[in-house]
Amino acid sequence: MSFFLFRRCLSLLLTLVAASLVVFGALEWLPGDAAQVAMGPDASPEVIAAKRTELGLERPATERYLAWVGGLLRGDMGQSHAYGSPVAELIAERLAVTLPLALLALAISTAVALSVGVYAAAHHNRLGDVGVMTVTQLGIAVPNFWFAILLILVFSVKLQWFSAGGFDGWSFDDGLAAGLWTGLRALLLPALALAAVQAAILARFTRSAVLDVMREDFVRTARAKGNSRAQTLRRHVLRNALVPVVTILGMQFSELVVNAIVVENVFYLPGIGRLVFQAIANRDLIVVQNVVMLLAALVIVVNFAVDVAHACIDPRVRAGAL
């Protein structure tokens, strides 16, 4: 296990370095002048040149890349040109919305998908299986933003159970439970909109994984020994079916973070998505650069965690057989 972790940590480090090079290089190629945008269209060439010097845009790209990476290692992401605030503070404020939203959506989609997927596999080719497959196919076909608008029309406009958008922050003045409920209530509809497609995909994948394991010889042996269908599923099928499902879960978390950018704009949530859109509009490249790098690092670390979980579940992964 130690050698496996060493290899994965080395791979994680190299991937982060490669991601930083791609992010920095991609933004270097973007058209436009950040100094021109910051000072406005009527600014004189002298003022724009002074701004370029202030932003450090006159320095060579290699020097700016090393300064940026060095700042990241020290926890310094620089200063936003548009907001006039440290980028780290801006991102921390927005992550307090985006991260709980993605985790809530992941929890909902996982709970629903595993339950439904196992149920469909256990009732293979019966009415329940056909119903689950039909609903999940519909869930895959519906885009996140369309489902988000539908949820607003039903639960906000018609039933008035939830607000149509906005987020008042995490306030715990009235107690921990009341503060959590206030924040989660604002995130529930966006989380459902995010979770719908992911739950549908994961449910179909879980069903296939469980069915594949149920066709194995050791499962037939377990049934021949007198184990009931439920006992066989619980003791022999679910653990083996979890290996590919965990891999898909890691990939889905990445998609949830990316899709959250769209859903946040539908529900007018002050998350990372709106920050990126505003930063791009203002040509605030230092914010865009750090947010994209943060999301890339988050995806890479989650995939690393999935690999470790995969190795814990299946010893063949640790031995390098898979």
Side-chain angles (χ1 to χ4, degrees), residues 69-115:
V69 173
L72 286 180
L73 295 177
R74 296 191 306 273
D76 179 11
M77 294 182 172
Q79 195 85 1
S80 165
H81 313 150
Y83 293 90
S85 305
V87 177
E89 289 183 8
L90 288 173
I91 292 178
E93 290 174 3
R94 305 308 179 97
L95 274 182
V97 177
T98 300
L99 205 53
L101 173 62
L103 291 175
L104 182 59
L106 185 66
I108 293 172
S109 66
T110 303
V112 172
L114 293 185
S115 306

Side-chain angles (χ1 to χ4, degrees), residues 4 19 23 27 33 45 51 55 86 103 109 132 141 153 171 188 191 199-200 207 211 216 221 245 249 262 282 298:
F4 171 82
V23 170
L27 290 177
D33 187 341
K51 189 64 178 178
L55 298 178
L103 291 175
S109 66
V132 168
L153 289 175
S171 175
L188 187 56
R207 173 184 176 273
L211 283 176
E216 296 287 341
T221 303
V245 171
L249 268 177
V262 177
N282 294 325
L298 187 62

Side-chain angles (χ1 to χ4, degrees), residues 33-284:
D33 187 341
Q36 173 77 64
V37 175
M39 302 313 295
D42 299 328
S44 66
E46 293 77 13
V47 172
I48 294 173
K51 189 64 178 178
R52 286 183 62 80
T53 304
E54 178 190 336
L55 298 178
L57 299 178
E58 300 292 353
R59 293 183 294 169
T62 307
E63 186 179 332
R64 283 187 282 120
Y65 170 75
L66 292 176
W68 173 54
V69 173
L72 286 180
L73 295 177
R74 296 191 306 273
D76 179 11
M77 294 182 172
Q79 195 85 1
S80 165
H81 313 150
Y83 293 90
S85 305
V87 177
E89 289 183 8
L90 288 173
I91 292 178
E93 290 174 3
R94 305 308 179 97
L95 274 182
V97 177
T98 300
L99 205 53
L101 173 62
L103 291 175
L104 182 59
L106 185 66
I108 293 172
S109 66
T110 303
V112 172
L114 293 185
S115 306
V116 168
V118 172
Y119 173 83
H123 297 79
H124 183 48
N125 283 339
R126 299 180 190 171
L127 184 60
D129 183 27
V130 174
V132 168
M133 288 299 97
T134 304
V135 172
T136 53
Q137 185 62 49
L138 185 63
I140 293 172
V142 175
N144 289 113
F145 70 89
W146 189 90
F147 192 56
I149 294 172
L150 183 65
L151 288 175
I152 291 174
L153 289 175
V154 174
F155 293 102
S156 300
V157 178
K158 184 72 176 177
L159 300 176
Q160 298 186 348
W161 290 354
F162 298 90
S163 64
F167 185 76
D168 297 329
W170 299 96
S171 175
F172 300 106
D173 295 339
D174 298 328
L176 179 63
L180 282 176
W181 170 240
T182 302
L184 291 176
R185 194 165 184 265
L187 297 180
L188 187 56
L189 288 186
L192 285 173
L194 269 178
V197 176
Q198 309 299 329
I201 295 172
L202 188 60
R204 294 177 74 89
F205 196 87
T206 302
R207 173 184 176 273
S208 300
V210 171
L211 283 176
D212 287 342
V213 177
M214 287 175 69
R215 296 189 183 104
E216 296 287 341
D217 291 339
F218 70 88
V219 174
R220 282 194 287 270
T221 303
R223 291 281 286 160
K225 286 182 177 178
N227 288 304
S228 66
R229 191 178 185 85
Q231 287 173 328
T232 306
L233 271 173
R234 190 172 59 252
R235 295 175 181 172
H236 303 283
V237 175
L238 291 183
R239 180 184 173 88
N240 291 284
L242 272 180
V243 176
V245 171
V246 167
T247 304
I248 295 297
L249 268 177
M251 296 168 63
Q252 285 201 327
F253 183 76
S254 312
E255 292 185 20
L256 281 174
V257 173
V258 174
N259 291 335
I261 293 175
V262 177
V263 173
E264 281 174 6
N265 281 278
V266 175
F267 285 93
Y268 206 67
L269 296 176
I272 287 290
R274 285 186 58 204
L275 178 64
V276 170
F277 273 117
Q278 291 166 349
I280 291 174
N282 294 325
R283 189 69 184 171
D284 200 354

